[in-house]
Amino acid sequence: RSYSFCTLLGNMAARWAAVLAAAVCISAEETKYVVCGSTGGDVTIEVRPEWSPLGAERFLQLVEDGFYDGAGLFRNVKGFLCQFGVPAEPLEKWKKYYSKINDDPSVGVAFGKGYMSFAGSGSNSRTTQVFITHQANSHLGKPHSPWETPFGRVISGMDSVAAWSTEYGDISAFNKNHGVDPSRLSREGNAYLKKEFPNISYLTKCTVTSETTPAPTTAAPLLSRASASNPYAFNNYYLIYVIGLVPGLILLALLVAKKKQRRDERYELR
C-alpha cells in the first residue's frame, strides 16, 4: 500500500511539473498580436490570454469582426488613458450583439505604460470598450473595479498613441459636459464626433496576426502588485503552479524516507 501511495504521489508530482512547464510556455504558444492603424500611426498590441482569458478572447473577437475599424478615440486623458470601443456607425445598426462577459480573476499583473484592459461599469460588465494606459497606474484594477484586468500591452507604436488628440479630454460626465457623450456616440456614430469634435483621432483598421514586425525583443514586463516598479517581476499566475508543486514534492520525499526507515527497522529486527 505504501508503495502504491508513493507511486500515486509521484505521478501527481510529474503531472504538476508538466502543468508548470505548460504555464511557463503558454505565452509563447498563445500570444497573438493585433496591429491597428490610426490617424497617429500604427500600433502593435501583444494579447496575453493568460492574464485575462475572457478579456483577451473578446478583444480578438471584436477585432476579427471589424468592430474597432474607424472607431473614434473618444476619451483621451493626458497622462491617464485613452478609451475606445464604440463603433463608427450607430450601435443599433451594428450587425452583431455582444453580451457582457464575466470578470477575469486577477493574476497579479499591474498596469504599466501601454497596458490594455476593458472598461466597465461594475462587476461582470465588460462588453466592447477598452482603454490603453498612457503611463503606469497603481489605482486601476483594485478590488473595487475587478473588471479592470490587463489582457495585453502595446509593444510598438506608443509614439502613435502619444500623437492621438487629447484636445477634448475626458468624457462629458467627468469633464463638465465638455467632452464626448458616449451614449450619444452610440446612437449617432462618428457623425456626432465629426460634427462636435472635428480634431478627434480615429483608428482606421485593426487586424489579428500571429507574428509582428518588428518582433518583441524582450519578454512582456509582468508587473506584480507587490513590486510594480520591477518590470520583470514574476507573474503570480505561474507562482500558483509552483506553490502547488513544491508541497507535493516535499510530501513525496517524506513518504519515501518513511518507507526506507520502516524497511531498515525490519532488517534490524531480523
Side-chain angles (χ1 to χ4, degrees), residues 13 16-21 23-24 234-250:
W16 271 109
V19 170
L20 176 61
V24 171
F234 196 68
N235 192 341
N236 290 351
Y237 180 83
Y238 303 144
L239 190 60
I240 293 173
Y241 294 100
V242 176
I243 292 173
L245 175 63
V246 171
L249 293 176
I250 293 175

Side-chain angles (χ1 to χ4, degrees), residues 4 238 264:
S4 299
Y238 303 144
D264 292 343

